[in-house]
Amino acid sequence: AIIGASIPARARREGGNPAKRVFQAIRIEVNHELQNIKNTLNEVLTLLSVDAIISVISFHSLEDRLVKQCFRYYSAKCRCKPTDPVCNCKPPMLELINKKPITASQSEIEINPPSRSAKLRVAKKIASWEN
């Protein structure tokens, strides 16, 4: 009731119980879920062999943003700052298989409603980086 009373009336009418999002945010922070995703992605990429495929399904926009940023970073041809005089970047480690995430079709969502928030991103490891 406290959470419901503290948000705008329009938000109360849409999207179900507002406490769900609050408790989800608390769970994500308490369990360090976003940091764990970053750490896991970086670790997995070092363990994959060249030509291996990595697929990641995310169910929350913050998770998807981290996966997207990680894939974009490791697939970039150059990661230098614009002010750097010379590019010393390593070659890309990943090749993106799909530029945009794969999402559930309308028929899939009708059969499986939780699939509406799922996003699949896929990349192929094309090089290894030595530390």
Side-chain angles (χ1 to χ4, degrees):
I2 293 170
I3 293 167
S6 67
I7 63 170
R10 182 177 177 190
R12 278 181 269 170
R13 290 189 296 268
E14 300 170 0
N17 188 339
K20 286 169 63 175
R21 278 194 168 164
V22 171
F23 286 112
Q24 181 182 35
I26 292 169
R27 187 202 73 225
I28 287 169
E29 185 60 29
V30 168
N31 294 333
H32 309 287
E33 292 177 18
L34 299 179
Q35 188 60 47
N36 288 336
I37 289 170
K38 283 183 191 176
N39 295 343
T40 300
L41 283 171
N42 289 320
E43 183 68 24
V44 165
L45 290 174
T46 64
L47 298 174
L48 287 177
S49 13
V50 174
D51 293 330
I53 303 287
I54 180 169
S55 301
V56 180
I57 300 175
S58 58
F59 293 93
H60 189 278
S61 61
L62 294 174
E63 296 170 350
D64 185 57
R65 182 184 305 156
L66 291 176
V67 176
K68 177 182 176 179
Q69 289 171 344
C70 177
F71 280 15
R72 184 180 288 160
Y73 176 81
Y74 286 111
S75 66
K77 290 179 177 38
C78 180
R79 289 163 297 285
C80 296
K81 297 175 189 167
T83 57
D84 290 349
V86 177
C87 177
N88 292 318
C89 291
K90 300 173 185 176
M93 180 189 287
L94 294 178
E95 175 185 318
L96 300 180
I97 302 294
N98 56 326
K99 302 285 187 225
K100 296 197 179 254
I102 299 168
T103 57
S105 65
Q106 190 58 41
S107 59
E108 168 80 16
I109 294 170
E110 289 170 9
I111 297 166
N112 180 13
S115 70
R116 76 186 180 292
S117 62
K119 293 186 178 183
L120 172 65
R121 293 188 183 271
V122 184
K124 178 180 180 181
K125 186 169 180 179
I126 56 174
S128 288
W129 291 354
E130 300 300 321
N131 291 336

